[in-house]
Amino acid sequence: MYELEEKWYLYCLGIIPVMALLFLYIQFWKRKKQREFGDLDLIKKLSPEKSVFKPVLKLVVILLALTCLIIGLVNPKIGTKMETVKREGIDIVFAIDVSKSMLAEDVAPSRLEKSKQLVSQIINNLGNDRIGIIAYSGSAFPVLPITTDYSVAKMFLQGMNPGIISAQGTSIDQAINLATTFVDKKDKTNKLLIIITDGEDHSNEAVDAAEEAKKAGIKIITVGVGTEKGGPIPLKENGVVESFKRDNNGEVVITKRDAEVLKNIAKATGGGYVDGDSTKAVLDYVKNALDNIQKTEFESTQMADFKSQFQWFLGFGFFLLFLDVFLLEKRTRWVKKMNLFNEKE
């Protein structure tokens, strides 16, 4: 098993074929100019020590050196074994509202972006807990299954937007129902569902779903994002606001945070509600909640002992560059005597 630490350096490998083509063009151009200057056989006799093979060899050495240096910058790592690690923690599922009302900008930069920031900050403060991510609007969608890979979770988190779910609306019950099937009921690990939303629920069945989640051993924390005053839903084109969403009467729709619904959902499972406009308040509340939830030991399998291999590639690359200094374009005497490359007088 292996992994590449800085993959974007691989784009630099594109310079290799460019240099090879440039070399061929220069050789073609030189041969053309030599023909214009005079007879090629006569030119060869005037420069008997010039090697035909050495320029090609120098190019190959330089290209190999550059390839090694680029791979060294990528820093390939090789894992030597699979290891089962015992951890103590809980299963945390984040349910993030991606309905269009979350595009409102009454909370900077927007409700949805604020939600992503909150989840990212919570993940940064976690220890050995397993996490999963659900996106929901009119329906719910599993974005990331339960995992201990926080970096992958953040990557999936950044890609969440209203376009990933076709069914519009806000049905919090759909997210709760999915969360109950998202985790293994036979697993005795304690489970926490953190719902981040503006609270606009069009289903009116969220509390019932929360009560069912409690039976499955899931506690719910709700985080309300947005203001009670509310704001319009911008319609953007290439990042520029063109207009605002309007209702059937042509009036601009004002979406407001509904904290009461979220409090009732959390209360049904013995959880709690927190105002998401303050990042510190959310982090403190979640930390306090996690401190009061009993941790359970579980196992996770992962590749261990990944070792960096960049030094071998950098070392060989610099060696080839050093070697290139001594590869002059004239014939080497001992090579000339052996006539290895059929370079006759």
Side-chain angles (χ1 to χ4, degrees):
M1 294 290 291
Y2 69 93
E3 66 177 23
L4 304 177
E5 187 173 49
E6 301 290 345
K7 293 182 181 180
W8 68 273
Y9 278 115
L10 290 174
Y11 291 110
C12 297
L13 291 175
I15 196 175
I16 304 300
V18 173
M19 291 183 65
L21 291 174
L22 183 62
F23 173 81
L24 292 175
Y25 172 77
I26 292 175
Q27 295 302 312
F28 175 79
W29 177 82
K30 287 171 65 175
R31 182 61 61 91
K32 180 181 178 182
K33 291 300 179 181
Q34 286 174 351
R35 286 197 183 97
E36 293 177 357
F37 178 77
D39 184 66
L40 290 179
D41 292 333
L42 178 60
I43 294 174
K44 289 181 180 179
K45 291 180 181 179
L46 292 174
S47 53
E49 294 299 319
K50 184 173 177 59
S51 172
V52 177
F53 174 76
K54 283 290 187 68
V56 177
L57 180 61
K58 284 176 66 68
L59 174 69
V60 172
V61 170
I62 290 175
L63 294 184
L64 283 175
L66 286 176
T67 301
C68 289
L69 293 176
I70 292 170
I71 295 176
L73 291 174
V74 172
N75 189 18
K77 294 183 177 180
I78 296 178
T80 57
K81 62 180 180 179
M82 294 296 291
E83 186 175 84
T84 299
V85 181
K86 289 185 179 293
R87 299 185 175 189
E88 278 193 349
I90 67 172
D91 288 344
I92 304 174
V93 178
F94 296 95
I96 303 172
D97 186 351
V98 293
S99 61
K100 289 187 177 179
S101 65
M102 294 294 286
L103 297 176
E105 298 176 347
D106 52 343
V107 175
S110 71
R111 294 178 184 177
L112 181 56
E113 290 304 316
K114 178 68 174 180
S115 300
K116 293 179 183 180
Q117 292 172 10
L118 289 173
V119 173
S120 182
Q121 289 295 321
I122 292 173
I123 292 174
N124 288 341
N125 291 332
L126 295 179
N128 297 320
D129 304 295
R130 297 184 296 196
I131 59 175
I133 299 177
I134 290 173
Y136 75 94
S137 54
S139 60
F141 174 75
V143 175
L144 181 70
I146 295 295
T147 180
T148 55
D149 194 332
Y150 294 169
S151 60
V152 170
K154 289 182 180 180
M155 181 181 69
F156 277 92
L157 178 67
Q158 295 307 313
M160 296 177 66
N161 61 77
I164 65 175
I165 297 179
S166 57
Q168 287 304 308
T170 307
S171 299
I172 300 178
D173 64 300
Q174 295 282 340
I176 298 174
N177 290 335
L178 178 58
T180 58
T181 61
F182 209 60
V183 293
D184 187 356
K185 295 180 181 179
K186 296 180 181 179
D187 190 344
K188 295 182 180 180
T189 305
N190 287 316
K191 302 166 181 65
L192 177 66
L193 172 61
I194 301 178
I195 302 175
I196 301 108
T197 176
D198 54 21
E200 285 195 341
D201 183 22
H202 300 159
S203 67
N204 299 317
E205 298 176 0
V207 174
D208 293 336
E211 291 174 351
E212 290 298 318
K214 182 180 180 181
K215 294 177 182 178
I218 299 175
K219 179 178 285 189
I220 298 177
I221 291 177
T222 54
V223 181
V225 181
T227 62
E228 293 181 356
K229 182 180 179 181
I233 302 173
L235 302 177
K236 297 183 178 181
E237 186 70 31
N238 297 323
V240 179
V241 177
E242 297 288 338
S243 60
F244 295 96
K245 187 177 180 180
R246 298 177 181 273
D247 59 20
N248 295 332
N249 297 322
E251 298 293 329
V252 174
V253 174
I254 301 297
T255 173
K256 302 178 181 180
R257 183 187 67 194
D258 190 343
E260 198 61 34
V261 170
L262 299 179
K263 290 177 182 178
N264 292 334
I265 293 171
K267 185 179 179 181
T269 65
Y273 166 81
V274 60
D275 188 338
D277 293 350
S278 171
T279 302
K280 185 178 184 304
V282 173
L283 295 179
D284 290 343
Y285 188 90
V286 172
K287 182 180 183 301
N288 183 62
L290 293 177
D291 289 341
N292 290 297
I293 297 178
Q294 185 177 358
K295 305 296 188 295
T296 306
E297 187 178 272
F298 58 85
E299 295 182 348
S300 62
T301 304
Q302 58 187 27
M303 176 60 67
D305 293 339
F306 273 102
K307 295 181 179 179
S308 296
Q309 307 295 323
F310 71 92
Q311 63 273 13
W312 299 103
F313 293 96
L314 291 182
F316 190 59
F318 284 120
F319 169 75
L320 290 174
L321 290 177
F322 178 77
L323 181 64
D324 179 69
V325 175
F326 297 94
L327 290 176
L328 304 178
E329 293 196 5
K330 69 177 185 178
R331 298 181 185 181
T332 306
R333 293 185 180 277
W334 64 270
V335 175
K336 178 180 176 182
K337 291 179 180 179
M338 296 178 66
N339 197 23
L340 292 176
F341 309 112
N342 198 28
E343 294 185 349
K344 297 180 180 180
E345 297 288 346

